[in-house]
Amino acid sequence: MRLANGYSGANHRSVKQSNRAAIFRAIHRMGPIARVDLARETGLNPATVSHIVEELIASGLASETGVRSPQRAGRRPISLEINPTAGFAVGLDLARHTITGALVDLSGVVHARVEEEADSPWREETAVPIGSRVVERLLRPLTSSQRDRVVGVGMGIPGPVSIRTGNYLAPRSFDSWRPVALAAELERRWQLPTFVDNNANTSALAALWFGAGQGTQNFVLLNLGVGVGTGLVLDGDVYRGNHDLAGEAGHLSVDLDGPRCACGNNGCLETYVSVPRVLQAVRSGSRRGRKGRAADVTLPEAVTALHAGDPHVVDVFAHVARHLAAGIVTIIYTLDPELILLGRELSAAGDALVVPVREEVRRRIFPAMRDTVRIEVSNLVDAPTIGAATLALREIFQAPLGARVRRGFS
Ligand SMILES: [Zn+2]
């Protein structure tokens, strides 16, 4: 246990554990990689590297690749890579109308995926049984050997949640349930440690470990869906703040005199940038007197119309882009990130949204930042479920061969 008083030391065992973790993560990130390169990358001496590598191979977490040839010419050193299927975790993404689950391996590859419809608003009587059934459908078909390699379950949920208590940190009218109830049920039923986090944080975690954020120390992921979910990665890890509430960028005011938001602020980013707001504008056609669309127009239909150059829809998305850019400028000036990633439904608009956002942001920030900060669409399909699974998978990366984490919610 690490004490949070600023004076924590490290005993022999924890040094060994952290060296193992460093080597395993280096193999994961850079493999196939030779022992000599591992020593250089980690700064550990070759004997320590060899010893730890042997432990990882013996445990099945890593294996050797490449052959040692007797001839000098064409000789390739034996390299190491992780065994992706040495560990699995279940990731659950609880969205507004669906619960999606995935069985994910150590490389972030989805081996099985299950989706069930859920009612909205959430109620405990439905959220817990549906979530449990999704996990059951993923775990039940596994052989006992596969089942033994499942290390835990991660849940990504919309809205601000405490990762310690598994409860919501702000009242939400559509959520009359406690995520901790599902977490406790899963721990009890499957005897697996279960983790809970906001689904923008899980998406950011997926991008950091397996997506466009790999190798990036500082980036911000904006999930453009029902609201604007924000995942912050600072100094190479998800930043959660004092109350697990860091990164509520959806409530950055982009217009002091804008409409009142449910949070109490005025002109919040998500009152301009959200799927419901876009659909409302596309349907109403009120902007510049353009003709609106049918009341049942869907977002994919709106995006198709955008790409086809429909003037009214182009106008709606230009309005979104301007406000999104204003929010991003504030984020950039606050955090100086290398990368802004856009995810979820509205990012499906692709370049038709991203290019005007980039241009508007470039116009508004310091020249020094202008040419380095990147704004891109998150390229990882299934990021929310993969990221939820990563909440559990990263325990292996933090403590390979370590004791299984204690259960916390049941
Ligand atoms: Zn607000």
Side-chain angles (χ1 to χ4, degrees):
M1 159 131 189
R2 176 152 299 201
L3 304 174
N5 60 7
Y7 304 106
S8 62
N11 58 39
H12 178 68
R13 233 175 108 185
S14 66
V15 168
K16 192 165 182 186
Q17 191 66 273
S18 83
N19 287 344
R20 265 192 210 124
I23 287 174
F24 189 51
R25 285 200 297 261
I27 298 173
H28 176 256
R29 182 80 185 84
M30 291 176 273
I33 182 170
R35 286 169 175 80
V36 57
D37 297 321
L38 273 176
R40 194 188 61 238
E41 293 291 339
T42 59
L44 294 169
N45 70 51
T48 303
V49 169
S50 279
H51 176 69
I52 291 176
V53 162
E54 293 320 310
E55 285 181 331
L56 294 173
I57 291 174
S59 71
L61 284 169
S63 55
E64 290 183 325
T65 175
V67 280
R68 211 192 288 272
S69 158
Q71 289 90 20
R72 252 189 105 70
R75 180 174 179 266
R76 279 200 298 149
I78 290 184
S79 293
L80 297 146
E81 58 190 9
I82 66 155
N83 273 337
T85 56
F88 292 95
V90 171
L92 280 185
D93 181 54
L94 291 93
R96 182 71 81 97
H97 300 289
T98 54
I99 297 181
T100 309
L103 184 71
V104 181
D105 74 16
L106 293 176
S107 292
V109 171
V110 172
H111 286 247
R113 189 178 187 282
V114 167
E115 185 171 309
E116 293 215 9
E117 298 214 345
D119 57 351
S120 178
W122 287 96
R123 285 176 299 118
E124 210 141 298
E125 310 87 87
T126 47
V128 174
I130 294 172
S132 303
R133 196 163 62 231
V134 168
V135 174
E136 172 115 28
R137 286 176 60 193
L138 289 166
L139 292 183
R140 201 205 287 245
L142 301 185
T143 64
S144 64
S145 144
Q146 291 168 322
R147 172 68 185 76
D148 288 345
R149 283 175 273 154
V150 178
V151 296
V153 180
M155 287 167 48
I157 61 166
V161 63
S162 162
I163 62 169
R164 287 167 275 267
T165 67
N167 279 319
Y168 278 118
L169 288 162
R172 290 172 70 96
S173 56
F174 58 87
D175 290 306
S176 58
W177 73 292
R178 300 162 305 137
V180 69
L182 176 56
E185 170 61 18
L186 295 175
E187 289 190 335
R188 190 194 60 74
R189 168 79 175 79
W190 297 101
Q191 300 292 304
L192 288 170
T194 299
F195 304 82
V196 178
D197 205 344
N198 168 267
N199 59 9
N201 286 343
T202 60
S203 298
L205 199 56
L208 176 66
W209 282 81
F210 305 113
Q214 280 184 85
T216 306
Q217 286 293 298
N218 301 294
F219 71 89
V220 177
L221 177 127
L222 298 174
N223 267 343
L224 312 176
V226 174
V228 179
T230 315
L232 303 178
V233 171
L234 300 178
D235 292 333
D237 201 1
V238 173
Y239 178 77
R240 292 189 171 81
N242 196 28
H243 301 92
D244 296 338
L245 279 170
E248 284 292 326
H251 299 286
L252 284 177
S253 184
V254 290
D255 181 357
L256 282 184
D257 303 315
R260 182 97 167 157
C261 173
C263 75
N265 198 358
N266 279 77
C268 288
L269 180 60
E270 68 180 35
T271 62
Y272 300 91
V273 181
S274 74
V275 174
R277 191 50 60 131
V278 165
L279 290 181
Q280 188 188 35
V282 168
R283 287 164 186 162
S284 77
S286 59
R287 292 179 50 72
R288 295 196 203 161
R290 306 263 199 207
K291 192 172 173 298
R293 293 311 182 94
D296 59 352
V297 67
T298 63
L299 186 70
E301 287 165 353
V303 169
T304 303
L306 170 72
H307 291 157
D310 179 306
H312 169 54
V313 180
V314 167
D315 198 30
V316 168
F317 274 87
H319 188 71
V320 168
R322 276 196 74 224
H323 287 84
L324 180 55
I328 289 175
V329 165
T330 303
I331 292 169
I332 290 174
Y333 274 135
T334 310
L335 299 172
D336 186 18
E338 300 161 63
L339 172 68
I340 305 279
L341 279 174
L342 307 178
R344 291 257 177 182
E345 290 92 330
L346 288 183
S347 69
D351 281 352
L353 177 67
V354 177
V355 170
V357 168
R358 278 191 201 124
E359 285 168 1
E360 186 71 18
V361 169
R362 280 178 64 85
R363 221 169 50 75
R364 292 167 177 250
I365 58 174
F366 285 152
M369 293 162 150
R370 197 176 294 157
D371 298 323
T372 52
V373 65
R374 293 175 290 133
I375 301 173
E376 290 171 10
V377 169
S378 175
N379 57 355
L380 194 63
V381 181
D382 285 327
T385 43
I386 293 171
T390 309
L391 291 171
L393 288 176
R394 65 180 184 168
E395 298 291 314
I396 301 181
F397 289 96
Q398 276 158 7
L401 320 179
R404 186 167 279 188
V405 210
R406 227 160 26 89
R407 293 178 294 138
F409 293 126
S410 55

